[in-house]
Amino acid sequence: LFLTIVRSGLLRFPVRGLCSVIHRKSPGLPRSALPCLHRLPVRTVSGVGGGDVPAGPGVSGWYSSLADSTPVHLCENFLVSVQQVSGLPWWLSIAVATVSVRTLITLPLAAYQLVIVSKVEALQVEISELAKRLRYEVSVRAREKGWTDKQSRFQFQKNLRRIVSQLYIRDNCHPFKASLLVWVQLPLWISLSLALRNLSLDHSALQCDLAAGGALWFPDLTSPDSTWILPVCVGLTNLLIIEVFSLQRISPTRFQKLVLNFMRGFSVLMVPIAATVPSSMALYWFTSSLVGFCHNLLLRSPVIRKILRLPTLQSDSPYRDLLSAFINKYCK
């Protein structure tokens, strides 16, 4: 999720910023002990069925509405269906559902995002050349019509934005399309997280199943991980994603460094947050981040890049180079 947000545009200049840059640069008891007398169905989209999650005194109205929204209930039904069809224990069912969603939905979108970003980067050389020609034409027209420096800059930026927009249309690579993954993955991540929270705190037989559906050091999926192993794994995985992405930036700008530091801080903040939510949510967050990290490595494969018709990397061994760069930066 973190890398998706960064790649989609947080570390890239908008068109207006691009024009400016070119212009400047050019010359208790476990819950499993509770009795489970009968099975209650999961709540339906309308909210009828299993008992609703009671709203605590600090839960605001918007949060209650979000937790009781249609997308969240659809995710609840999806998770329950995966578990009932597969017959797997809940911890493994959550992992399988996460891998399925990330592979079938977000991986194709991540590949599409990479294609768009590659096309935009490939246009930068052409944009620079057109900017030089445009600057000369504007300077000639400014002398003819007596424009001031402010008027010349305005005409340059206005026409450059028009040219860049035409190039994006020509190559079908408007940068906004690169943010499509964010608009799909972020709501999906929130909906699945709230769905697991509802199932973990809902007073029904499903809660009892989740309470006994854990493994290893987290046998109860309805309670937080008291060992903090899952929360720490969530934070470390997100930090690993960010650091690997930062290694791909040879000379990051000041804004890019600021965004990366913000993402690092948010990754650390996720550790205590994950320690306060049910283990089912922390398990989902960890699995989702781990799968996303694997997908990002997969998209760096020369074979995959050839299939997607992306520019080949300078090295034939991107994974070895990435590992060497990581070791040189953090282990020496």
Side-chain angles (χ1 to χ4, degrees), residues 170-232:
R170 184 195 70 185
D171 291 358
N172 192 23
C173 62
H174 195 282
F176 181 78
K177 294 182 178 180
S179 66
L180 179 61
L181 178 59
V182 176
W183 299 113
V184 174
Q185 183 173 345
L186 186 58
L188 187 61
W189 184 83
I190 294 174
S191 298
L192 283 170
S193 298
L194 292 179
L196 286 168
R197 177 189 179 276
N198 290 350
L199 293 175
S200 299
L201 302 181
D202 198 5
H203 299 292
S204 69
L206 288 173
Q207 184 192 31
C208 297
D209 292 343
L210 281 165
L216 301 176
W217 67 89
F218 54 98
D220 186 357
L221 292 175
T222 64
S223 61
D225 182 8
S226 59
T227 65
W228 280 57
I229 296 178
L230 278 177
V232 171

Short mmCIF file of all heavy atoms in Angstrom, two decimals, residues 170-232:
data_model
loop_
_atom_site.label_atom_id
_atom_site.label_comp_id
_atom_site.label_asym_id
_atom_site.label_seq_id
_atom_site.Cartn_x
_atom_site.Cartn_y
_atom_site.Cartn_z
N ARG A 170 -1.55 11.34 -26.78
CA ARG A 170 -0.99 10.58 -27.90
C ARG A 170 -0.52 9.19 -27.46
O ARG A 170 -0.78 8.18 -28.12
CB ARG A 170 0.18 11.35 -28.50
CG ARG A 170 0.78 10.70 -29.75
CD ARG A 170 2.13 11.29 -30.05
NE ARG A 170 3.13 10.91 -29.05
CZ ARG A 170 4.38 11.37 -29.02
NH1 ARG A 170 4.78 12.24 -29.94
NH2 ARG A 170 5.22 10.97 -28.09
N ASP A 171 0.16 9.13 -26.31
CA ASP A 171 0.70 7.86 -25.82
C ASP A 171 -0.23 7.18 -24.81
O ASP A 171 0.13 6.13 -24.26
CB ASP A 171 2.06 8.09 -25.17
CG ASP A 171 3.13 8.46 -26.18
OD1 ASP A 171 2.80 8.49 -27.39
OD2 ASP A 171 4.27 8.71 -25.78
N ASN A 172 -1.41 7.78 -24.57
CA ASN A 172 -2.39 7.19 -23.65
C ASN A 172 -1.75 6.87 -22.30
O ASN A 172 -1.83 5.75 -21.78
CB ASN A 172 -2.98 5.91 -24.26
CG ASN A 172 -4.20 5.41 -23.49
OD1 ASN A 172 -4.86 6.18 -22.79
ND2 ASN A 172 -4.49 4.13 -23.59
N CYS A 173 -1.13 7.87 -21.70
CA CYS A 173 -0.42 7.65 -20.45
C CYS A 173 -0.55 8.83 -19.49
O CYS A 173 0.43 9.28 -18.90
CB CYS A 173 1.06 7.37 -20.70
SG CYS A 173 1.95 8.73 -21.49
N HIS A 174 -1.77 9.33 -19.35
CA HIS A 174 -1.94 10.43 -18.40
C HIS A 174 -1.55 9.95 -17.00
O HIS A 174 -1.94 8.86 -16.57
CB HIS A 174 -3.39 10.91 -18.40
CG HIS A 174 -3.57 12.24 -17.74
ND1 HIS A 174 -3.59 12.39 -16.37
CD2 HIS A 174 -3.72 13.49 -18.26
CE1 HIS A 174 -3.74 13.67 -16.06
NE2 HIS A 174 -3.83 14.35 -17.19
N PRO A 175 -0.76 10.75 -16.27
CA PRO A 175 -0.29 10.32 -14.95
C PRO A 175 -1.41 9.96 -13.99
O PRO A 175 -1.20 9.16 -13.06
CB PRO A 175 0.50 11.53 -14.44
CG PRO A 175 0.95 12.22 -15.67
CD PRO A 175 -0.16 12.04 -16.67
N PHE A 176 -2.61 10.52 -14.18
CA PHE A 176 -3.71 10.18 -13.27
C PHE A 176 -4.05 8.69 -13.34
O PHE A 176 -4.50 8.11 -12.35
CB PHE A 176 -4.94 11.02 -13.61
CG PHE A 176 -6.11 10.75 -12.70
CD1 PHE A 176 -6.17 11.27 -11.42
CD2 PHE A 176 -7.16 9.94 -13.13
CE1 PHE A 176 -7.24 11.00 -10.58
CE2 PHE A 176 -8.23 9.66 -12.31
CZ PHE A 176 -8.27 10.20 -11.02
N LYS A 177 -3.82 8.09 -14.51
CA LYS A 177 -4.11 6.66 -14.64
C LYS A 177 -3.22 5.83 -13.73
O LYS A 177 -3.59 4.71 -13.35
CB LYS A 177 -3.95 6.23 -16.08
CG LYS A 177 -4.96 6.84 -17.04
CD LYS A 177 -4.76 6.32 -18.45
CE LYS A 177 -5.81 6.91 -19.39
NZ LYS A 177 -5.65 6.41 -20.78
N ALA A 178 -2.06 6.36 -13.39
CA ALA A 178 -1.16 5.62 -12.49
C ALA A 178 -1.70 5.56 -11.08
O ALA A 178 -1.27 4.72 -10.29
CB ALA A 178 0.22 6.27 -12.49
N SER A 179 -2.66 6.44 -10.75
CA SER A 179 -3.24 6.44 -9.41
C SER A 179 -4.45 5.51 -9.30
O SER A 179 -5.06 5.42 -8.24
CB SER A 179 -3.66 7.86 -9.01
OG SER A 179 -4.73 8.32 -9.84
N LEU A 180 -4.79 4.83 -10.39
CA LEU A 180 -5.94 3.93 -10.36
C LEU A 180 -5.77 2.84 -9.29
O LEU A 180 -6.73 2.47 -8.60
CB LEU A 180 -6.14 3.29 -11.73
CG LEU A 180 -7.30 2.29 -11.87
CD1 LEU A 180 -8.63 2.96 -11.58
CD2 LEU A 180 -7.31 1.66 -13.26
N LEU A 181 -4.55 2.35 -9.14
CA LEU A 181 -4.30 1.31 -8.15
C LEU A 181 -4.62 1.81 -6.74
O LEU A 181 -5.16 1.06 -5.91
CB LEU A 181 -2.84 0.86 -8.24
CG LEU A 181 -2.40 -0.21 -7.23
CD1 LEU A 181 -3.23 -1.47 -7.35
CD2 LEU A 181 -0.92 -0.53 -7.42
N VAL A 182 -4.30 3.06 -6.45
CA VAL A 182 -4.57 3.60 -5.11
C VAL A 182 -6.06 3.65 -4.85
O VAL A 182 -6.52 3.26 -3.76
CB VAL A 182 -3.96 5.01 -4.98
CG1 VAL A 182 -4.32 5.62 -3.63
CG2 VAL A 182 -2.45 4.95 -5.14
N TRP A 183 -6.83 4.08 -5.84
CA TRP A 183 -8.27 4.24 -5.66
C TRP A 183 -8.98 2.89 -5.54
O TRP A 183 -10.13 2.83 -5.11
CB TRP A 183 -8.86 5.03 -6.82
CG TRP A 183 -8.31 6.41 -6.92
CD1 TRP A 183 -7.52 6.91 -7.92
CD2 TRP A 183 -8.47 7.48 -5.98
NE1 TRP A 183 -7.18 8.20 -7.66
CE2 TRP A 183 -7.75 8.59 -6.48
CE3 TRP A 183 -9.15 7.61 -4.77
CZ2 TRP A 183 -7.68 9.80 -5.80
CZ3 TRP A 183 -9.08 8.82 -4.10
CH2 TRP A 183 -8.37 9.89 -4.62
N VAL A 184 -8.33 1.82 -5.92
CA VAL A 184 -8.89 0.49 -5.75
C VAL A 184 -8.35 -0.18 -4.49
O VAL A 184 -9.10 -0.72 -3.67
CB VAL A 184 -8.62 -0.40 -6.99
CG1 VAL A 184 -9.07 -1.83 -6.74
CG2 VAL A 184 -9.32 0.18 -8.21
N GLN A 185 -7.03 -0.11 -4.32
CA GLN A 185 -6.41 -0.85 -3.23
C GLN A 185 -6.72 -0.25 -1.86
O GLN A 185 -6.95 -0.99 -0.90
CB GLN A 185 -4.90 -0.89 -3.44
CG GLN A 185 -4.17 -1.71 -2.38
CD GLN A 185 -2.70 -1.87 -2.72
OE1 GLN A 185 -2.28 -1.62 -3.83
NE2 GLN A 185 -1.91 -2.28 -1.74
N LEU A 186 -6.72 1.07 -1.75
CA LEU A 186 -6.96 1.68 -0.44
C LEU A 186 -8.35 1.39 0.10
O LEU A 186 -8.49 0.94 1.25
CB LEU A 186 -6.70 3.19 -0.52
CG LEU A 186 -6.78 3.95 0.80
CD1 LEU A 186 -5.78 3.38 1.81
CD2 LEU A 186 -6.51 5.43 0.58
N PRO A 187 -9.44 1.60 -0.68
CA PRO A 187 -10.77 1.22 -0.16
C PRO A 187 -10.89 -0.27 0.13
O PRO A 187 -11.55 -0.68 1.09
CB PRO A 187 -11.72 1.65 -1.28
CG PRO A 187 -10.99 2.68 -2.05
CD PRO A 187 -9.56 2.27 -1.98
N LEU A 188 -10.24 -1.10 -0.70
CA LEU A 188 -10.29 -2.54 -0.48
C LEU A 188 -9.58 -2.92 0.81
O LEU A 188 -10.07 -3.75 1.59
CB LEU A 188 -9.65 -3.26 -1.67
CG LEU A 188 -9.75 -4.79 -1.70
CD1 LEU A 188 -11.22 -5.22 -1.75
CD2 LEU A 188 -9.01 -5.34 -2.91
N TRP A 189 -8.45 -2.30 1.08
CA TRP A 189 -7.70 -2.56 2.31
C TRP A 189 -8.50 -2.14 3.54
O TRP A 189 -8.57 -2.87 4.53
CB TRP A 189 -6.38 -1.79 2.25
CG TRP A 189 -5.45 -2.04 3.41
CD1 TRP A 189 -4.59 -3.08 3.56
CD2 TRP A 189 -5.29 -1.21 4.56
NE1 TRP A 189 -3.90 -2.96 4.74
CE2 TRP A 189 -4.31 -1.82 5.38
CE3 TRP A 189 -5.88 -0.02 4.99
CZ2 TRP A 189 -3.91 -1.28 6.59
CZ3 TRP A 189 -5.47 0.52 6.20
CH2 TRP A 189 -4.50 -0.10 6.98
N ILE A 190 -9.14 -0.98 3.46
CA ILE A 190 -9.96 -0.50 4.58
C ILE A 190 -11.16 -1.41 4.79
O ILE A 190 -11.50 -1.78 5.93
CB ILE A 190 -10.41 0.95 4.34
CG1 ILE A 190 -9.19 1.89 4.34
CG2 ILE A 190 -11.42 1.39 5.38
CD1 ILE A 190 -9.52 3.32 3.97
N SER A 191 -11.82 -1.80 3.71
CA SER A 191 -13.03 -2.64 3.82
C SER A 191 -12.69 -4.00 4.41
O SER A 191 -13.41 -4.50 5.30
CB SER A 191 -13.69 -2.80 2.45
OG SER A 191 -14.10 -1.55 1.93
N LEU A 192 -11.63 -4.63 3.95
CA LEU A 192 -11.25 -5.93 4.49
C LEU A 192 -10.82 -5.82 5.95
O LEU A 192 -11.11 -6.71 6.76
CB LEU A 192 -10.14 -6.55 3.64
CG LEU A 192 -10.57 -7.15 2.31
CD1 LEU A 192 -9.37 -7.51 1.47
CD2 LEU A 192 -11.44 -8.39 2.54
N SER A 193 -10.14 -4.75 6.30
CA SER A 193 -9.72 -4.56 7.69
C SER A 193 -10.93 -4.42 8.60
O SER A 193 -11.01 -5.06 9.66
CB SER A 193 -8.82 -3.32 7.80
OG SER A 193 -7.64 -3.46 7.04
N LEU A 194 -11.89 -3.59 8.20
CA LEU A 194 -13.09 -3.40 9.02
C LEU A 194 -13.94 -4.67 9.04
O LEU A 194 -14.60 -4.96 10.05
CB LEU A 194 -13.90 -2.22 8.49
CG LEU A 194 -13.25 -0.84 8.67
CD1 LEU A 194 -14.13 0.25 8.09
CD2 LEU A 194 -12.98 -0.55 10.15
N ALA A 195 -13.95 -5.41 7.94
CA ALA A 195 -14.70 -6.67 7.92
C ALA A 195 -14.14 -7.65 8.93
O ALA A 195 -14.89 -8.31 9.67
CB ALA A 195 -14.67 -7.27 6.52
N LEU A 196 -12.82 -7.75 9.01
CA LEU A 196 -12.20 -8.64 9.99
C LEU A 196 -12.44 -8.15 11.41
O LEU A 196 -12.63 -8.94 12.34
CB LEU A 196 -10.70 -8.75 9.72
CG LEU A 196 -10.33 -9.60 8.51
CD1 LEU A 196 -8.86 -9.43 8.15
CD2 LEU A 196 -10.63 -11.08 8.79
N ARG A 197 -12.46 -6.84 11.58
CA ARG A 197 -12.76 -6.30 12.91
C ARG A 197 -14.18 -6.64 13.31
O ARG A 197 -14.44 -7.05 14.46
CB ARG A 197 -12.55 -4.79 12.93
CG ARG A 197 -12.90 -4.14 14.27
CD ARG A 197 -12.91 -2.63 14.19
NE ARG A 197 -13.27 -2.05 15.46
CZ ARG A 197 -14.50 -1.88 15.91
NH1 ARG A 197 -15.52 -2.27 15.14
NH2 ARG A 197 -14.75 -1.33 17.09
N ASN A 198 -15.11 -6.48 12.40
CA ASN A 198 -16.50 -6.79 12.71
C ASN A 198 -16.68 -8.27 13.06
O ASN A 198 -17.36 -8.61 14.03
CB ASN A 198 -17.40 -6.43 11.52
CG ASN A 198 -17.53 -4.93 11.32
OD1 ASN A 198 -17.10 -4.14 12.16
ND2 ASN A 198 -18.09 -4.53 10.20
N LEU A 199 -16.05 -9.13 12.26
CA LEU A 199 -16.17 -10.56 12.52
C LEU A 199 -15.51 -10.94 13.85
O LEU A 199 -15.98 -11.85 14.54
CB LEU A 199 -15.53 -11.35 11.39
CG LEU A 199 -16.22 -11.26 10.02
CD1 LEU A 199 -15.41 -12.01 8.96
CD2 LEU A 199 -17.64 -11.83 10.08
N SER A 200 -14.43 -10.25 14.20
CA SER A 200 -13.71 -10.58 15.43
C SER A 200 -14.44 -10.10 16.67
O SER A 200 -14.32 -10.71 17.74
CB SER A 200 -12.31 -9.97 15.39
OG SER A 200 -11.57 -10.48 14.31
N LEU A 201 -15.20 -9.01 16.55
CA LEU A 201 -15.88 -8.44 17.71
C LEU A 201 -17.36 -8.72 17.73
O LEU A 201 -18.05 -8.36 18.69
CB LEU A 201 -15.64 -6.92 17.76
CG LEU A 201 -14.17 -6.48 17.81
CD1 LEU A 201 -14.08 -4.96 17.89
CD2 LEU A 201 -13.46 -7.12 18.99
N ASP A 202 -17.89 -9.34 16.67
CA ASP A 202 -19.31 -9.64 16.59
C ASP A 202 -19.63 -10.82 17.51
O ASP A 202 -18.93 -11.83 17.51
CB ASP A 202 -19.68 -10.00 15.15
CG ASP A 202 -21.17 -9.89 14.92
OD1 ASP A 202 -21.87 -9.46 15.83
OD2 ASP A 202 -21.62 -10.25 13.81
N HIS A 203 -20.67 -10.68 18.33
CA HIS A 203 -21.03 -11.73 19.27
C HIS A 203 -21.85 -12.80 18.55
O HIS A 203 -23.07 -12.78 18.56
CB HIS A 203 -21.81 -11.13 20.45
CG HIS A 203 -21.01 -10.13 21.21
ND1 HIS A 203 -19.91 -10.47 21.95
CD2 HIS A 203 -21.14 -8.78 21.34
CE1 HIS A 203 -19.40 -9.39 22.52
NE2 HIS A 203 -20.12 -8.36 22.16
N SER A 204 -21.17 -13.72 17.93
CA SER A 204 -21.83 -14.80 17.21
C SER A 204 -20.91 -16.01 17.21
O SER A 204 -19.81 -15.99 17.75
CB SER A 204 -22.16 -14.38 15.78
OG SER A 204 -20.97 -14.24 15.02
N ALA A 205 -21.37 -17.09 16.59
CA ALA A 205 -20.55 -18.28 16.51
C ALA A 205 -19.30 -18.04 15.69
O ALA A 205 -18.27 -18.70 15.89
CB ALA A 205 -21.35 -19.43 15.92
N LEU A 206 -19.36 -17.08 14.74
CA LEU A 206 -18.18 -16.77 13.95
C LEU A 206 -17.07 -16.22 14.82
O LEU A 206 -15.89 -16.48 14.59
CB LEU A 206 -18.54 -15.76 12.85
CG LEU A 206 -19.38 -16.30 11.70
CD1 LEU A 206 -19.82 -15.18 10.79
CD2 LEU A 206 -18.59 -17.34 10.92
N GLN A 207 -17.43 -15.43 15.83
CA GLN A 207 -16.41 -14.92 16.74
C GLN A 207 -15.75 -16.07 17.50
O GLN A 207 -14.54 -16.08 17.71
CB GLN A 207 -17.04 -13.94 17.73
CG GLN A 207 -16.01 -13.30 18.66
CD GLN A 207 -16.67 -12.56 19.81
OE1 GLN A 207 -17.74 -12.95 20.27
NE2 GLN A 207 -16.02 -11.52 20.29
N CYS A 208 -16.56 -17.06 17.88
CA CYS A 208 -15.99 -18.22 18.57
C CYS A 208 -15.05 -18.99 17.65
O CYS A 208 -14.01 -19.49 18.09
CB CYS A 208 -17.12 -19.12 19.07
SG CYS A 208 -18.19 -18.33 20.30
N ASP A 209 -15.43 -19.10 16.38
CA ASP A 209 -14.55 -19.78 15.42
C ASP A 209 -13.23 -19.04 15.27
O ASP A 209 -12.16 -19.65 15.20
CB ASP A 209 -15.25 -19.90 14.07
CG ASP A 209 -16.44 -20.85 14.11
OD1 ASP A 209 -16.52 -21.64 15.07
OD2 ASP A 209 -17.28 -20.78 13.20
N LEU A 210 -13.31 -17.71 15.19
CA LEU A 210 -12.09 -16.91 15.07
C LEU A 210 -11.25 -16.99 16.34
O LEU A 210 -10.02 -16.98 16.29
CB LEU A 210 -12.45 -15.46 14.77
CG LEU A 210 -12.81 -15.14 13.31
CD1 LEU A 210 -13.48 -13.79 13.21
CD2 LEU A 210 -11.56 -15.17 12.44
N ALA A 211 -11.93 -17.07 17.50
CA ALA A 211 -11.20 -17.16 18.76
C ALA A 211 -10.38 -18.44 18.85
O ALA A 211 -9.36 -18.48 19.53
CB ALA A 211 -12.18 -17.08 19.93
N ALA A 212 -10.81 -19.48 18.14
CA ALA A 212 -10.08 -20.75 18.15
C ALA A 212 -9.39 -21.01 16.81
O ALA A 212 -8.90 -22.12 16.59
CB ALA A 212 -11.04 -21.89 18.46
N GLY A 213 -9.35 -20.00 15.95
CA GLY A 213 -8.83 -20.21 14.60
C GLY A 213 -7.43 -19.70 14.37
O GLY A 213 -7.01 -19.59 13.21
N GLY A 214 -6.71 -19.36 15.43
CA GLY A 214 -5.35 -18.87 15.26
C GLY A 214 -4.34 -19.99 15.20
O GLY A 214 -4.67 -21.16 15.05
N ALA A 215 -3.07 -19.62 15.34
CA ALA A 215 -1.99 -20.62 15.28
C ALA A 215 -0.77 -20.04 15.99
O ALA A 215 -0.67 -18.83 16.22
CB ALA A 215 -1.65 -20.98 13.84
N LEU A 216 0.13 -20.93 16.34
CA LEU A 216 1.42 -20.54 16.92
C LEU A 216 1.23 -19.61 18.11
O LEU A 216 0.56 -19.94 19.07
CB LEU A 216 2.30 -19.91 15.83
CG LEU A 216 2.59 -20.81 14.61
CD1 LEU A 216 3.37 -20.05 13.56
CD2 LEU A 216 3.31 -22.07 15.03
N TRP A 217 1.79 -18.41 18.03
CA TRP A 217 1.74 -17.49 19.18
C TRP A 217 0.47 -16.63 19.20
O TRP A 217 0.28 -15.84 20.12
CB TRP A 217 2.97 -16.57 19.15
CG TRP A 217 2.96 -15.62 17.99
CD1 TRP A 217 2.41 -14.37 17.96
CD2 TRP A 217 3.53 -15.84 16.70
NE1 TRP A 217 2.58 -13.80 16.72
CE2 TRP A 217 3.28 -14.68 15.93
CE3 TRP A 217 4.22 -16.90 16.12
CZ2 TRP A 217 3.70 -14.56 14.61
CZ3 TRP A 217 4.63 -16.78 14.81
CH2 TRP A 217 4.39 -15.62 14.07
N PHE A 218 -0.40 -16.76 18.20
CA PHE A 218 -1.66 -15.99 18.19
C PHE A 218 -2.84 -16.96 18.03
O PHE A 218 -3.53 -16.96 17.03
CB PHE A 218 -1.65 -14.93 17.07
CG PHE A 218 -1.36 -15.48 15.70
CD1 PHE A 218 -2.38 -15.77 14.81
CD2 PHE A 218 -0.06 -15.70 15.29
CE1 PHE A 218 -2.12 -16.26 13.54
CE2 PHE A 218 0.22 -16.21 14.02
CZ PHE A 218 -0.81 -16.48 13.14
N PRO A 219 -3.13 -17.77 19.06
CA PRO A 219 -4.22 -18.75 18.94
C PRO A 219 -5.59 -18.11 18.87
O PRO A 219 -6.52 -18.70 18.32
CB PRO A 219 -4.06 -19.59 20.21
CG PRO A 219 -3.38 -18.69 21.19
CD PRO A 219 -2.45 -17.85 20.37
N ASP A 220 -5.73 -16.89 19.42
CA ASP A 220 -7.02 -16.20 19.44
C ASP A 220 -6.96 -15.04 18.47
O ASP A 220 -6.28 -14.03 18.72
CB ASP A 220 -7.32 -15.71 20.86
CG ASP A 220 -8.72 -15.10 20.97
OD1 ASP A 220 -9.42 -15.01 19.94
OD2 ASP A 220 -9.10 -14.72 22.09
N LEU A 221 -7.69 -15.15 17.37
CA LEU A 221 -7.67 -14.09 16.35
C LEU A 221 -8.55 -12.90 16.71
O LEU A 221 -8.52 -11.89 16.01
CB LEU A 221 -8.12 -14.66 15.00
CG LEU A 221 -7.18 -15.64 14.33
CD1 LEU A 221 -7.81 -16.21 13.06
CD2 LEU A 221 -5.83 -15.00 14.01
N THR A 222 -9.33 -13.01 17.76
CA THR A 222 -10.22 -11.91 18.15
C THR A 222 -9.57 -10.95 19.14
O THR A 222 -10.15 -9.90 19.44
CB THR A 222 -11.52 -12.46 18.77
OG1 THR A 222 -11.20 -13.16 19.98
CG2 THR A 222 -12.22 -13.40 17.81
N SER A 223 -8.42 -11.29 19.65
CA SER A 223 -7.73 -10.44 20.64
C SER A 223 -6.41 -9.98 20.05
O SER A 223 -5.84 -10.63 19.16
CB SER A 223 -7.49 -11.21 21.93
OG SER A 223 -6.67 -12.34 21.69
N PRO A 224 -5.86 -8.86 20.53
CA PRO A 224 -4.57 -8.37 20.02
C PRO A 224 -3.44 -9.35 20.32
O PRO A 224 -3.52 -10.16 21.25
CB PRO A 224 -4.38 -7.05 20.78
CG PRO A 224 -5.75 -6.64 21.21
CD PRO A 224 -6.49 -7.91 21.47
N ASP A 225 -2.41 -9.26 19.52
CA ASP A 225 -1.24 -10.11 19.70
C ASP A 225 -0.42 -9.59 20.87
O ASP A 225 0.27 -8.57 20.76
CB ASP A 225 -0.41 -10.12 18.41
CG ASP A 225 0.81 -11.03 18.51
OD1 ASP A 225 0.92 -11.76 19.51
OD2 ASP A 225 1.65 -11.00 17.59
N SER A 226 -0.48 -10.27 21.99
CA SER A 226 0.21 -9.81 23.20
C SER A 226 1.72 -9.92 23.07
O SER A 226 2.46 -9.26 23.81
CB SER A 226 -0.27 -10.62 24.41
OG SER A 226 -0.01 -12.01 24.23
N THR A 227 2.21 -10.75 22.15
CA THR A 227 3.65 -10.89 21.98
C THR A 227 4.24 -9.78 21.09
O THR A 227 5.47 -9.65 21.01
CB THR A 227 3.98 -12.25 21.34
OG1 THR A 227 3.44 -12.30 20.02
CG2 THR A 227 3.39 -13.38 22.18
N TRP A 228 3.40 -9.05 20.39
CA TRP A 228 3.81 -7.97 19.49
C TRP A 228 4.61 -8.49 18.29
O TRP A 228 5.23 -7.71 17.56
CB TRP A 228 4.64 -6.91 20.24
CG TRP A 228 3.80 -5.95 21.02
CD1 TRP A 228 2.90 -6.27 22.01
CD2 TRP A 228 3.78 -4.53 20.91
NE1 TRP A 228 2.33 -5.14 22.53
CE2 TRP A 228 2.85 -4.04 21.88
CE3 TRP A 228 4.45 -3.60 20.12
CZ2 TRP A 228 2.58 -2.71 22.05
CZ3 TRP A 228 4.19 -2.26 20.30
CH2 TRP A 228 3.26 -1.82 21.25
N ILE A 229 4.58 -9.78 18.04
CA ILE A 229 5.33 -10.31 16.89
C ILE A 229 4.68 -9.89 15.58
O ILE A 229 5.36 -9.40 14.66
CB ILE A 229 5.43 -11.85 16.99
CG1 ILE A 229 6.24 -12.26 18.22
CG2 ILE A 229 6.06 -12.42 15.72
CD1 ILE A 229 6.36 -13.75 18.41
N LEU A 230 3.36 -10.06 15.48
CA LEU A 230 2.67 -9.64 14.25
C LEU A 230 2.78 -8.14 14.02
O LEU A 230 3.08 -7.70 12.90
CB LEU A 230 1.20 -10.07 14.31
CG LEU A 230 0.89 -11.52 13.95
CD1 LEU A 230 -0.60 -11.80 14.13
CD2 LEU A 230 1.31 -11.82 12.52
N PRO A 231 2.55 -7.28 15.05
CA PRO A 231 2.70 -5.84 14.81
C PRO A 231 4.10 -5.45 14.34
O PRO A 231 4.26 -4.62 13.45
CB PRO A 231 2.38 -5.23 16.18
CG PRO A 231 1.48 -6.22 16.83
CD PRO A 231 1.97 -7.55 16.37
N VAL A 232 5.14 -6.05 14.96
CA VAL A 232 6.50 -5.74 14.54
C VAL A 232 6.75 -6.21 13.11
O VAL A 232 7.41 -5.52 12.32
CB VAL A 232 7.51 -6.37 15.51
CG1 VAL A 232 8.93 -6.25 14.97
CG2 VAL A 232 7.42 -5.71 16.88
#
